[in-house]
């Protein structure tokens, strides 16, 4: 079999092919793998493009393997059987109540985890498979139902809704906070400032106080906001609290506010889903996430119904 590049076929693509071959239907394969019909169709198209040949004949009542497709299925069946018998790889749960949700590490650890039990168990049981990733993945191609991200607006090819904004304020360890004391905003510039992915939040905070800010050699930057909070808690400088991500950290006393003045962050938090009709379990989880975020019911219903 010839193929268009030397890149390996993704395992998810072969898994979609195997499910469609066994069930004789893209719809049945989608149900089996907890994906949408469109996601299966795109994976098969990707495989056929890679191979340079058809693996299925499409018909009104389903799909049937071509001669080449049957040969490939024999090989993939053997490979999956071998992997299954000789691997300790974690196997994700599948089923109609399973929802694949992706988010960045900070949102996953600081906002989702404290709410995970409520999201999964109220009012009916769901199982959330959480993919922690910093990439802006193709949700449909990767079989992801929902995404929570931090950004400045919608993303083409997705249905997006704003969950909440951030009104940031400076925080530090209790020890450093006592040294900083109270006073005008300029006093904070005597200490290292801790940034996350960029300096936009600190710029916004100082701009709200009528001041300009540019990162300095003594300032620090950490890509993951969890590390930003750790650095502040261990006295390395002043960070910006990003409610509601920092609620537990503030309540525990690990960090404390050093200035009560707030500013609206240029970024906010968004709930995304792929285009097309969402699965029932995904709509249930979207409603629960919206409730936890304090989003009005009519807004989340518009998100669910959009682009069907």
């Amino acid at each position: 079999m010839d193929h268009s590049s030397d890149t390996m076929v993704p395992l998810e693509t072969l898994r979609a092919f195997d499910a469609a071959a066994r069930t004789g239907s893209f719809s049945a394969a989608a149900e089996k793998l907890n994906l949408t019909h469109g996601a299966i169709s795109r994976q098969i198209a990707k495989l056929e493009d890679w191979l340079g040949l058809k693996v299925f004949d499409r018909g009104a009542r389903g799909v049937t393997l071509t001669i080449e497709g049957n040969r490939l299925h024999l090989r993939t069946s053997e490979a999956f059987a071998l992997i299954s018998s000789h691997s300790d790889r974690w196997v994700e749960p599948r089923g109609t109540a399973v929802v694949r949700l992706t988010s960045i590490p900070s949102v996953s650890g600081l906002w989702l985890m404290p709410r995970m039990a409520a999201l999964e168990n109220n009012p009916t049981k769901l199982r959330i498979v959480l993919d922690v990733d910093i990439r802006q993945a193709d949700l449909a191609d990767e079989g992801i139902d929902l995404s929570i991200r931090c950004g400045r607006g919608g993303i083409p090819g997705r249905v997006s809704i704003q969950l909440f904004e951030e009104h940031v304020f400076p925080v530090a360890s209790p020890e450093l906070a006592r040294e900083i004391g109270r006073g005008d905003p300029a006093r904070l510039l005597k200490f290292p400032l801790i940034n996350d992915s960029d300096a936009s939040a600190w710029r916004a905070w100082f701009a709200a106080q009528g001041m300009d800010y540019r990162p300095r050699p003594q300032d620090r930057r950490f890509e993951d906001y969890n590390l930003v909070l750790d650095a502040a808690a261990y006295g390395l400088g002043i960070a910006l609290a990003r409610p509601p991500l920092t609620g537990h950290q503030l309540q525990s006393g690990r960090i404390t506010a050093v200035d009560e003045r707030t500013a609206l962050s240029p970024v906010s938090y968004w709930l995304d889903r792929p285009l097309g009709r969402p699965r029932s379990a995904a709509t249930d989880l979207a409603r629960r996430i919206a409730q936890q975020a304090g989003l009005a019911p009519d807004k989340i219903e518009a998100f669910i119904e959009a682009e069907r």
Side-chain angles (χ1 to χ4, degrees):
M1 295 181 183
D2 295 329
H3 49 77
S4 58
S5 75
D6 292 330
T7 304
M8 296 293 292
V9 180
L11 184 60
E12 289 299 317
T13 300
L14 293 177
R15 188 174 285 120
F17 165 72
D18 181 72
R22 291 180 183 276
T23 61
S25 164
F26 287 179
S27 296
E31 184 175 350
K32 180 179 180 180
L33 296 181
N34 194 35
L35 301 174
T36 63
H37 181 283
I40 296 293
S41 181
R42 282 187 288 272
Q43 293 288 5
I44 300 304
K46 184 187 297 184
L47 176 62
E48 290 181 331
D49 181 65
W50 189 86
L51 293 170
L53 50 82
K54 287 177 60 178
V55 294
F56 286 110
D57 287 321
R58 279 76 165 171
R61 296 187 177 181
V63 295
T64 57
L65 288 166
T66 62
I67 294 174
E68 292 82 1
N70 191 59
R71 290 173 181 161
L72 177 63
H73 189 231
L74 289 173
R75 296 177 183 177
T76 57
S77 296
E78 292 173 356
F80 280 128
L82 184 64
I83 292 171
S84 178
S85 61
H86 292 84
S87 175
D88 292 327
R89 183 180 63 87
W90 177 260
V91 178
E92 289 184 355
R94 300 187 183 277
T96 57
V98 176
V99 187
R100 285 192 68 186
L101 172 66
T102 185
S103 193
I104 58 176
S106 58
V107 175
S108 298
L110 298 172
W111 194 83
L112 279 170
M113 278 301 162
R115 295 165 173 81
M116 188 70 79
L119 291 172
E120 287 192 327
N121 296 298
N122 184 22
T124 57
K125 285 192 176 294
L126 294 175
R127 175 64 182 269
I128 299 172
V129 175
L130 181 60
D131 292 337
V132 180
D133 204 337
I134 61 172
R135 299 176 302 128
Q136 294 294 344
D138 187 313
L139 303 183
D141 279 356
E142 299 198 16
I144 295 170
D145 295 295
L146 297 168
S147 169
I148 301 177
R149 61 179 171 84
C150 185
R152 297 173 185 260
I155 294 179
R158 301 184 181 187
V159 180
S160 303
I161 188 170
Q162 188 183 59
L163 285 177
F164 44 77
E165 296 176 320
E166 289 182 333
H167 292 268
V168 298
F169 57 90
V171 294
S173 68
E175 295 77 15
L176 185 58
R178 286 191 287 271
E179 182 180 348
I180 295 167
R182 300 293 171 176
D184 60 47
R187 78 193 191 287
L188 302 187
L189 293 173
K190 299 176 183 178
F191 301 87
L193 302 182
I194 306 171
N195 296 269
D196 51 13
S197 57
D198 58 40
S200 61
W202 269 117
R203 285 198 184 103
W205 189 85
F206 276 108
Q209 320 314 321
M211 300 174 60
D212 185 37
Y213 167 70
R214 295 178 182 275
R216 307 158 302 168
Q218 66 265 38
D219 295 337
R220 297 177 182 267
R221 174 184 175 275
F222 298 97
E223 185 68 29
D224 181 12
Y225 187 61
N226 289 291
L227 293 178
V228 170
L229 292 179
D230 285 343
Y234 287 116
L236 296 182
I238 308 170
L240 283 172
R242 295 167 52 185
L245 300 190
T246 48
H248 290 281
Q249 303 263 359
L250 288 163
Q251 291 170 13
S252 70
R254 189 167 186 252
I255 54 174
T256 187
V258 296
D259 200 298
E260 301 300 329
R261 285 165 280 224
T262 66
L264 179 63
S265 172
V267 299
S268 54
Y269 294 87
W270 298 79
L271 179 66
D272 296 341
R273 68 169 178 83
L275 299 177
R277 181 180 293 275
R279 297 186 309 108
S280 175
T283 63
D284 285 348
L285 180 57
R287 291 187 180 103
R288 297 177 193 188
I289 290 171
Q291 184 180 33
Q292 290 287 333
L295 197 65
D298 61 322
K299 291 185 177 181
I300 195 63
E301 293 306 317
F303 166 80
I304 291 169
E305 295 295 329
E307 299 289 341
R308 285 199 171 194

